[in-house]
Amino acid sequence: MTDRQAGSTSPKAQHIAAEVRRRIVEREWRQGDRIPDEADLAIEFDAARATVNKALQLLADEGLLDRKRRAGTRVAIDPVRKATFTISIVREQVEQAGMAYSHRVVAQRRSPIPADVAARIGLPEGEMLVHMRAVHYGDGRPFQLEDRWINPRAAPELEDADFRQLNANEWLVRNAPYLRAELAFSAENANRRDARLLRAQPGQALLILYRTTWNDLGPITTVRVAFQPGHLVRTENGQSRSD
Amino acid sequence: MTDRQAGSTSPKAQHIAAEVRRRIVEREWRQGDRIPDEADLAIEFDAARATVNKALQLLADEGLLDRKRRAGTRVAIDPVRKATFTISIVREQVEQAGMAYSHRVVAQRRSPIPADVAARIGLPEGEMLVHMRAVHYGDGRPFQLEDRWINPRAAPELEDADFRQLNANEWLVRNAPYLRAELAFSAENANRRDARLLRAQPGQALLILYRTTWNDLGPITTVRVAFQPGHLVRTENGQSRSD
DNA sequence: CAGTGGTCTAGACCACGAG
DNA sequence: TCGTGGTCTAGACCACTGG
């Protein structure tokens, strides 16, 4: 008795989530409707309540369900869905596209930060940080341009690193784990320097990514990444992958 | 050692996750290191293994840990972190910015799809879909411009809707839940129409978002959203929990 | 006040894959 | 082969909040 396990690899929670998702998408359960509580669903699916809970939390994280104690679980009125994209290492992006990676450091020196960078990173204007610019290439063609400020106080081992040799992106990822990150996408017309380094035309629209990271010592780094003209940053969501 | 236990409303899994995160960020456990297995951590934190499992899965989802059966759990070598942003309703974005929302439908008609749209949505070129363009305003100033194609076959109740009255964005969100979505960010120089409708200059860099959604009947809608010049799309990730 | 979700536990079996 | 994570279960207590 109680050997439910259908022998096959059946993540029961996934199954329940998929079924609930189906009922929502096929409008069996409509926006705003209250759905059966965990105990009832546990009976229907012959599962423990914890398993049902896991499934429903998954859907709530996706934004499909609204759950409240006492009030029960309802199909979200405005399914505010979340999209995720992964921040990977530039080199990997390039190599995954089947191109040969290379990079070149254009400048590296200590320098006082200007006002706009100060605002982004949350340090006073004029603070001395390490400033560097680098271009990343795929098959010799410019792929992206990074303009980065690094805070040595939050990355103590920084002194040892020579970014003319090493990829700053990679060094930071490997040596300065962060607790919090902020990202923002924008579009800017290429200025003269962008255009020169990316071999683009001044004025061309560039996708810009600003990223700032913090650990418990403060801000680690802030970077403006300019992608080559026409570059797409893709994200995917909907079906959650984890399991 | 085991005097954690606040006795209050302290989600134990969160506490464990935070502590493991701390050890990683402070480089007590370094990239590539194997960390104690779930059973050991359960003892250390005086918790059930399921609770430890939950905490570690959370960190693995964040990209901070790599977990493999038999091989154990290691601190990720390349912490491929994930960033999330929420897809909310335009009206809500505008209103949250403290502006008065309005919108205007510029065009709506059935029309055969051109090649680029066909590619995005995965339907044959020339297929007849509903095409519409609308501008969304905040305090009377253009906020974003949408150019949308809707597939009536995947949104059966579409016939009833008149998007000249109703906000298509909102109608779709409420009436056509999707199973899968694809998003992509790009930058484009404003063309004449973009410029006119957004009251911008031709050639100005615009942040563009392409979004396509599917349900079990096929593609529902694909849209190109052009944001007003200078618009930022922000995302946040990293630590999001308590403290 | 009481129903509902939030969370934890102790135990169990299983699947995967490194050694 | 067998240690490790993946998942489930049955039961329990608690926190929140709607009625």
Side-chain angles (χ1 to χ4, degrees), chain B residues 101-149:
Chain B
Y101 172 77
S102 60
H103 83 293
R104 185 165 67 93
V105 174
V106 176
Q108 179 185 345
R109 62 163 194 225
R110 287 180 161 268
S111 176
I113 54 175
D116 61 326
V117 173
R120 253 157 54 202
I121 203 170
L123 289 175
E125 187 176 346
E127 185 95 357
M128 294 297 285
L129 298 191
V130 176
H131 182 204
M132 59 161 299
R133 262 193 296 274
V135 188
H136 302 270
Y137 300 88
D139 282 347
R141 287 183 23 232
F143 179 76
Q144 71 174 45
L145 162 65
E146 67 173 88
D147 187 310
R148 183 186 294 277
W149 295 80

Side-chain angles (χ1 to χ4, degrees), chain B residues 11-13 46-51 54 68-71:
Chain B
K12 214 178 228 180
D46 187 29
R49 186 167 77 90
T51 306
K54 191 175 174 186
K68 275 189 232 160
R69 290 168 139 124
R70 169 76 201 204

Side-chain angles (χ1 to χ4, degrees), chain A residues 135-150:
Chain A
V135 187
H136 302 271
Y137 301 88
D139 283 347
R141 287 184 22 235
F143 179 77
Q144 71 174 46
L145 162 64
E146 68 173 87
D147 187 309
R148 184 186 293 277
W149 295 81
I150 307 171

